[in-house]
Amino acid sequence: MIQYIRSILFILQMYVMFVVIGLGYAPYALVSREGARAGCKAFSRWVFWTMNWMVGIKAEVRGEVPEGEVLIAAKHQSFLDIMMIFTALPAAKFIMKRDILWTPIIGLYARRLDCVAVERGKRGAAIAKMVADVEAGRANPGQLIIYSQGTRVAPGAKVPYKVGTGVLYEQLGQPCVPVATNVGVMWPRKGILRKPGVAVVEFLPVIEPGMERDIFLAHIADTVEARSDALMREGGFDPDGVH
């Protein structure tokens, strides 16, 4: 019960500070892409600090964090891994649902960060346009993040990896860095309770361009799932026990 109350208080103050920091950085974000990035990182760091002493979750980033133009193929378990990956990278931008562009505050920052908005059922068209923009030099350089399973996945759940990641890897000709995580053990995709523990996002060894699409997809699925399972066990959750 005490942890549940702490979780409620943590969530309430997080949303209050989301508005405060989001509006506070908005003028800077409107005139500068770096301003938008600074606002997002300021909010994320506030969340990391408060979740540590309020609900006992410590954020930890492992592996070699890429700095150049790469494709990030990440596992997605909750809002926490979004903040951790974004804060770790120097120039992150996400492939995201188009609906988010119309969300107050978030939409402004997503647009300023050059996130790629994808309509439901039209992912192929969005990927094709993004590839064309990159090749024409119109897109700002950075680390492009795609959630390869297309949605948040609860710890232990099995969801297939979508072909979009393979198409991007193949057509962009950029290195790909897979990312594993266990954050869903402490910060679930649904519900209020936040559990104490070490929430980890781990950047795995880079995959150079040139691998065949099907082999690449199988490789990242095997690599990310195996490492994420190991991180979840480290966090006290047995992914093999979920049916």
Side-chain angles (χ1 to χ4, degrees), residues 13-30 35-50 83 86 104-106 108-109:
Q13 66 82 30
M14 183 183 75
Y15 282 117
V16 169
M17 291 306 296
F18 169 78
V19 175
V20 171
I21 294 174
L23 293 179
Y25 274 85
Y28 186 18
L30 285 169
R37 188 169 291 116
C40 292
K41 291 193 175 185
F43 172 69
S44 297
R45 291 185 177 114
W46 173 269
V47 172
F48 301 156
W49 178 63
T50 54
M83 292 185 288
F86 180 85
I105 301 178
I106 294 178
L108 164 66
Y109 285 86

Short mmCIF file of all heavy atoms in Angstrom, two decimals, residues 13-30 35-50 83 86 104-106 108-109:
data_model
loop_
_atom_site.label_atom_id
_atom_site.label_comp_id
_atom_site.label_asym_id
_atom_site.label_seq_id
_atom_site.Cartn_x
_atom_site.Cartn_y
_atom_site.Cartn_z
N GLN A 13 3.10 14.32 -9.56
CA GLN A 13 4.09 15.38 -9.69
C GLN A 13 4.76 15.34 -11.06
O GLN A 13 5.16 16.38 -11.61
CB GLN A 13 5.13 15.29 -8.56
CG GLN A 13 6.03 14.08 -8.56
CD GLN A 13 7.22 14.18 -9.49
OE1 GLN A 13 7.72 15.26 -9.74
NE2 GLN A 13 7.66 13.04 -10.01
N MET A 14 4.87 14.14 -11.64
CA MET A 14 5.48 14.02 -12.97
C MET A 14 4.65 14.76 -14.01
O MET A 14 5.20 15.49 -14.86
CB MET A 14 5.61 12.54 -13.35
CG MET A 14 6.29 12.30 -14.69
SD MET A 14 6.34 10.55 -15.16
CE MET A 14 4.62 10.28 -15.64
N TYR A 15 3.33 14.60 -13.95
CA TYR A 15 2.48 15.28 -14.92
C TYR A 15 2.46 16.79 -14.70
O TYR A 15 2.39 17.57 -15.66
CB TYR A 15 1.07 14.71 -14.89
CG TYR A 15 0.95 13.39 -15.61
CD1 TYR A 15 0.60 12.22 -14.95
CD2 TYR A 15 1.22 13.30 -16.98
CE1 TYR A 15 0.51 11.01 -15.61
CE2 TYR A 15 1.15 12.10 -17.65
CZ TYR A 15 0.78 10.95 -16.97
OH TYR A 15 0.71 9.76 -17.64
N VAL A 16 2.53 17.21 -13.44
CA VAL A 16 2.61 18.65 -13.16
C VAL A 16 3.89 19.23 -13.76
O VAL A 16 3.87 20.27 -14.44
CB VAL A 16 2.56 18.91 -11.64
CG1 VAL A 16 2.91 20.37 -11.34
CG2 VAL A 16 1.19 18.58 -11.08
N MET A 17 5.01 18.55 -13.55
CA MET A 17 6.27 19.05 -14.06
C MET A 17 6.36 18.92 -15.59
O MET A 17 7.08 19.69 -16.24
CB MET A 17 7.44 18.31 -13.40
CG MET A 17 7.59 18.65 -11.92
SD MET A 17 7.73 20.44 -11.62
CE MET A 17 9.27 20.81 -12.46
N PHE A 18 5.62 17.97 -16.14
CA PHE A 18 5.56 17.87 -17.60
C PHE A 18 5.00 19.16 -18.20
O PHE A 18 5.53 19.71 -19.17
CB PHE A 18 4.68 16.68 -18.00
CG PHE A 18 4.33 16.63 -19.45
CD1 PHE A 18 5.25 16.18 -20.39
CD2 PHE A 18 3.08 17.04 -19.90
CE1 PHE A 18 4.93 16.14 -21.73
CE2 PHE A 18 2.75 17.01 -21.24
CZ PHE A 18 3.68 16.55 -22.16
N VAL A 19 3.93 19.67 -17.58
CA VAL A 19 3.33 20.92 -18.04
C VAL A 19 4.27 22.10 -17.77
O VAL A 19 4.49 22.95 -18.65
CB VAL A 19 1.96 21.15 -17.37
CG1 VAL A 19 1.39 22.51 -17.76
CG2 VAL A 19 0.98 20.04 -17.76
N VAL A 20 4.82 22.15 -16.57
CA VAL A 20 5.69 23.27 -16.19
C VAL A 20 6.92 23.34 -17.10
O VAL A 20 7.25 24.40 -17.67
CB VAL A 20 6.12 23.14 -14.72
CG1 VAL A 20 7.20 24.18 -14.38
CG2 VAL A 20 4.92 23.31 -13.80
N ILE A 21 7.62 22.22 -17.25
CA ILE A 21 8.83 22.20 -18.06
C ILE A 21 8.49 22.35 -19.54
O ILE A 21 9.16 23.08 -20.28
CB ILE A 21 9.64 20.91 -17.81
CG1 ILE A 21 10.16 20.90 -16.37
CG2 ILE A 21 10.81 20.80 -18.80
CD1 ILE A 21 10.85 19.60 -15.97
N GLY A 22 7.42 21.67 -19.98
CA GLY A 22 7.03 21.76 -21.39
C GLY A 22 6.69 23.17 -21.81
O GLY A 22 7.15 23.65 -22.86
N LEU A 23 5.91 23.89 -21.00
CA LEU A 23 5.57 25.27 -21.33
C LEU A 23 6.75 26.21 -21.12
O LEU A 23 6.93 27.17 -21.87
CB LEU A 23 4.38 25.72 -20.47
CG LEU A 23 3.04 25.02 -20.75
CD1 LEU A 23 1.96 25.55 -19.82
CD2 LEU A 23 2.63 25.19 -22.22
N GLY A 24 7.55 25.91 -20.11
CA GLY A 24 8.70 26.76 -19.83
C GLY A 24 9.72 26.77 -20.96
O GLY A 24 10.30 27.82 -21.27
N TYR A 25 9.94 25.62 -21.58
CA TYR A 25 10.90 25.52 -22.67
C TYR A 25 10.27 25.79 -24.04
O TYR A 25 10.99 25.86 -25.04
CB TYR A 25 11.53 24.12 -22.70
CG TYR A 25 12.73 23.96 -21.80
CD1 TYR A 25 12.58 23.63 -20.46
CD2 TYR A 25 14.02 24.12 -22.29
CE1 TYR A 25 13.67 23.46 -19.63
CE2 TYR A 25 15.13 23.96 -21.47
CZ TYR A 25 14.95 23.62 -20.14
OH TYR A 25 16.05 23.45 -19.33
N ALA A 26 8.95 25.95 -24.11
CA ALA A 26 8.27 26.09 -25.39
C ALA A 26 8.80 27.26 -26.25
O ALA A 26 9.03 27.08 -27.45
CB ALA A 26 6.77 26.23 -25.18
N PRO A 27 8.99 28.46 -25.67
CA PRO A 27 9.53 29.55 -26.51
C PRO A 27 10.90 29.21 -27.12
O PRO A 27 11.17 29.51 -28.28
CB PRO A 27 9.63 30.73 -25.54
CG PRO A 27 8.62 30.43 -24.47
CD PRO A 27 8.66 28.94 -24.31
N TYR A 28 11.75 28.59 -26.31
CA TYR A 28 13.08 28.17 -26.79
C TYR A 28 12.93 27.09 -27.86
O TYR A 28 13.63 27.11 -28.89
CB TYR A 28 13.88 27.65 -25.60
CG TYR A 28 15.33 27.31 -25.85
CD1 TYR A 28 16.01 27.76 -26.97
CD2 TYR A 28 16.02 26.52 -24.92
CE1 TYR A 28 17.35 27.43 -27.18
CE2 TYR A 28 17.35 26.20 -25.12
CZ TYR A 28 18.01 26.65 -26.25
OH TYR A 28 19.32 26.33 -26.46
N ALA A 29 12.00 26.16 -27.66
CA ALA A 29 11.79 25.08 -28.62
C ALA A 29 11.27 25.61 -29.95
O ALA A 29 11.60 25.07 -31.02
CB ALA A 29 10.80 24.07 -28.05
N LEU A 30 10.46 26.66 -29.91
CA LEU A 30 9.88 27.22 -31.13
C LEU A 30 10.94 27.82 -32.05
O LEU A 30 10.79 27.82 -33.28
CB LEU A 30 8.82 28.26 -30.79
CG LEU A 30 7.48 27.72 -30.30
CD1 LEU A 30 6.62 28.86 -29.75
CD2 LEU A 30 6.74 26.99 -31.42
N GLY A 35 16.65 23.78 -28.49
CA GLY A 35 15.78 24.13 -27.38
C GLY A 35 14.76 23.05 -27.10
O GLY A 35 14.47 22.72 -25.94
N ALA A 36 14.20 22.47 -28.16
CA ALA A 36 13.25 21.37 -28.00
C ALA A 36 13.93 20.17 -27.37
O ALA A 36 13.38 19.51 -26.47
CB ALA A 36 12.66 20.99 -29.36
N ARG A 37 15.15 19.89 -27.81
CA ARG A 37 15.89 18.75 -27.24
C ARG A 37 16.22 19.00 -25.77
O ARG A 37 16.10 18.10 -24.93
CB ARG A 37 17.15 18.52 -28.07
CG ARG A 37 17.92 17.25 -27.70
CD ARG A 37 19.01 16.94 -28.71
NE ARG A 37 18.42 16.52 -29.98
CZ ARG A 37 18.55 17.18 -31.13
NH1 ARG A 37 19.25 18.29 -31.18
NH2 ARG A 37 17.99 16.72 -32.22
N ALA A 38 16.61 20.22 -25.46
CA ALA A 38 16.95 20.56 -24.08
C ALA A 38 15.73 20.43 -23.17
O ALA A 38 15.85 19.94 -22.03
CB ALA A 38 17.51 21.98 -24.02
N GLY A 39 14.56 20.84 -23.64
CA GLY A 39 13.35 20.73 -22.83
C GLY A 39 13.00 19.28 -22.54
O GLY A 39 12.65 18.93 -21.41
N CYS A 40 13.08 18.44 -23.56
CA CYS A 40 12.77 17.02 -23.37
C CYS A 40 13.75 16.35 -22.41
O CYS A 40 13.36 15.54 -21.57
CB CYS A 40 12.79 16.30 -24.72
SG CYS A 40 11.46 16.77 -25.84
N LYS A 41 15.02 16.71 -22.53
CA LYS A 41 16.02 16.10 -21.64
C LYS A 41 15.88 16.62 -20.21
O LYS A 41 16.10 15.87 -19.25
CB LYS A 41 17.42 16.34 -22.19
CG LYS A 41 17.69 15.55 -23.47
CD LYS A 41 19.16 15.53 -23.85
CE LYS A 41 19.38 14.62 -25.06
NZ LYS A 41 20.80 14.45 -25.42
N ALA A 42 15.48 17.88 -20.07
CA ALA A 42 15.27 18.42 -18.73
C ALA A 42 14.14 17.69 -18.02
O ALA A 42 14.25 17.34 -16.83
CB ALA A 42 14.97 19.92 -18.81
N PHE A 43 13.04 17.45 -18.74
CA PHE A 43 11.94 16.71 -18.14
C PHE A 43 12.35 15.28 -17.80
O PHE A 43 12.03 14.78 -16.71
CB PHE A 43 10.74 16.70 -19.09
CG PHE A 43 9.62 15.80 -18.63
CD1 PHE A 43 8.87 16.12 -17.51
CD2 PHE A 43 9.34 14.62 -19.30
CE1 PHE A 43 7.85 15.29 -17.07
CE2 PHE A 43 8.32 13.78 -18.87
CZ PHE A 43 7.58 14.11 -17.75
N SER A 44 13.04 14.63 -18.72
CA SER A 44 13.46 13.25 -18.48
C SER A 44 14.35 13.14 -17.25
O SER A 44 14.18 12.25 -16.42
CB SER A 44 14.19 12.70 -19.71
OG SER A 44 13.33 12.65 -20.83
N ARG A 45 15.28 14.06 -17.13
CA ARG A 45 16.19 14.02 -15.98
C ARG A 45 15.44 14.29 -14.67
O ARG A 45 15.79 13.74 -13.63
CB ARG A 45 17.34 15.01 -16.18
CG ARG A 45 18.28 14.58 -17.30
CD ARG A 45 19.48 15.49 -17.43
NE ARG A 45 20.39 15.01 -18.45
CZ ARG A 45 20.65 15.64 -19.60
NH1 ARG A 45 20.07 16.81 -19.85
NH2 ARG A 45 21.48 15.13 -20.48
N TRP A 46 14.42 15.14 -14.74
CA TRP A 46 13.59 15.35 -13.56
C TRP A 46 12.91 14.04 -13.16
O TRP A 46 12.87 13.68 -11.98
CB TRP A 46 12.55 16.44 -13.81
CG TRP A 46 11.57 16.58 -12.69
CD1 TRP A 46 10.38 15.93 -12.55
CD2 TRP A 46 11.72 17.38 -11.51
NE1 TRP A 46 9.76 16.28 -11.36
CE2 TRP A 46 10.57 17.17 -10.71
CE3 TRP A 46 12.71 18.26 -11.07
CZ2 TRP A 46 10.40 17.81 -9.49
CZ3 TRP A 46 12.53 18.89 -9.86
CH2 TRP A 46 11.39 18.67 -9.08
N VAL A 47 12.38 13.33 -14.14
CA VAL A 47 11.71 12.06 -13.87
C VAL A 47 12.70 11.06 -13.28
O VAL A 47 12.38 10.36 -12.31
CB VAL A 47 11.07 11.50 -15.16
CG1 VAL A 47 10.53 10.08 -14.92
CG2 VAL A 47 9.93 12.41 -15.62
N PHE A 48 13.89 10.97 -13.84
CA PHE A 48 14.88 10.02 -13.33
C PHE A 48 15.22 10.33 -11.86
O PHE A 48 15.36 9.41 -11.05
CB PHE A 48 16.17 10.08 -14.16
CG PHE A 48 15.99 9.77 -15.61
CD1 PHE A 48 16.89 10.23 -16.56
CD2 PHE A 48 14.92 9.00 -16.06
CE1 PHE A 48 16.74 9.95 -17.89
CE2 PHE A 48 14.75 8.71 -17.41
CZ PHE A 48 15.66 9.20 -18.31
N TRP A 49 15.37 11.61 -11.56
CA TRP A 49 15.72 12.00 -10.19
C TRP A 49 14.59 11.68 -9.22
O TRP A 49 14.81 11.08 -8.16
CB TRP A 49 16.06 13.49 -10.16
CG TRP A 49 16.38 13.99 -8.79
CD1 TRP A 49 17.43 13.60 -8.00
CD2 TRP A 49 15.65 14.97 -8.02
NE1 TRP A 49 17.41 14.28 -6.79
CE2 TRP A 49 16.33 15.13 -6.79
CE3 TRP A 49 14.52 15.74 -8.27
CZ2 TRP A 49 15.88 16.01 -5.80
CZ3 TRP A 49 14.08 16.62 -7.29
CH2 TRP A 49 14.75 16.74 -6.08
N THR A 50 13.37 12.07 -9.58
CA THR A 50 12.26 11.86 -8.65
C THR A 50 11.88 10.39 -8.52
O THR A 50 11.50 9.94 -7.43
CB THR A 50 11.03 12.68 -9.08
OG1 THR A 50 10.69 12.37 -10.44
CG2 THR A 50 11.30 14.16 -8.94
N MET A 83 12.22 7.87 -22.60
CA MET A 83 13.01 8.93 -21.98
C MET A 83 14.47 8.54 -21.84
O MET A 83 15.38 9.36 -22.06
CB MET A 83 12.42 9.28 -20.61
CG MET A 83 11.06 9.94 -20.68
SD MET A 83 10.44 10.48 -19.06
CE MET A 83 10.04 8.88 -18.33
N PHE A 86 16.17 8.53 -25.37
CA PHE A 86 16.28 9.89 -25.88
C PHE A 86 17.37 10.67 -25.14
O PHE A 86 18.16 11.39 -25.77
CB PHE A 86 14.94 10.62 -25.73
CG PHE A 86 14.97 12.03 -26.24
CD1 PHE A 86 14.76 12.29 -27.58
CD2 PHE A 86 15.24 13.10 -25.39
CE1 PHE A 86 14.81 13.59 -28.07
CE2 PHE A 86 15.29 14.40 -25.87
CZ PHE A 86 15.07 14.64 -27.22
N PRO A 104 -1.28 17.99 -27.01
CA PRO A 104 -0.74 19.24 -26.46
C PRO A 104 0.68 19.05 -25.91
O PRO A 104 0.97 18.04 -25.28
CB PRO A 104 -1.74 19.58 -25.34
CG PRO A 104 -3.02 18.94 -25.78
CD PRO A 104 -2.61 17.66 -26.46
N ILE A 105 1.52 20.00 -26.16
CA ILE A 105 2.92 20.07 -25.73
C ILE A 105 3.77 19.01 -26.44
O ILE A 105 4.74 19.34 -27.11
CB ILE A 105 3.06 19.94 -24.20
CG1 ILE A 105 2.28 21.05 -23.49
CG2 ILE A 105 4.55 20.00 -23.80
CD1 ILE A 105 2.31 20.98 -21.98
N ILE A 106 3.41 17.73 -26.31
CA ILE A 106 4.20 16.67 -26.95
C ILE A 106 4.29 16.90 -28.44
O ILE A 106 5.36 16.72 -29.06
CB ILE A 106 3.60 15.28 -26.64
CG1 ILE A 106 3.72 14.97 -25.15
CG2 ILE A 106 4.31 14.20 -27.46
CD1 ILE A 106 3.09 13.64 -24.76
N LEU A 108 4.22 19.63 -30.19
CA LEU A 108 5.16 20.70 -30.52
C LEU A 108 6.59 20.18 -30.54
O LEU A 108 7.35 20.41 -31.50
CB LEU A 108 5.04 21.83 -29.49
CG LEU A 108 6.20 22.85 -29.47
CD1 LEU A 108 6.25 23.63 -30.76
CD2 LEU A 108 6.06 23.79 -28.26
N TYR A 109 6.96 19.47 -29.50
CA TYR A 109 8.33 18.98 -29.40
C TYR A 109 8.64 17.92 -30.44
O TYR A 109 9.74 17.87 -31.00
CB TYR A 109 8.60 18.46 -27.98
CG TYR A 109 8.77 19.58 -26.97
CD1 TYR A 109 7.67 20.14 -26.34
CD2 TYR A 109 10.03 20.08 -26.67
CE1 TYR A 109 7.82 21.18 -25.42
CE2 TYR A 109 10.19 21.11 -25.76
CZ TYR A 109 9.08 21.66 -25.15
OH TYR A 109 9.24 22.69 -24.25
#
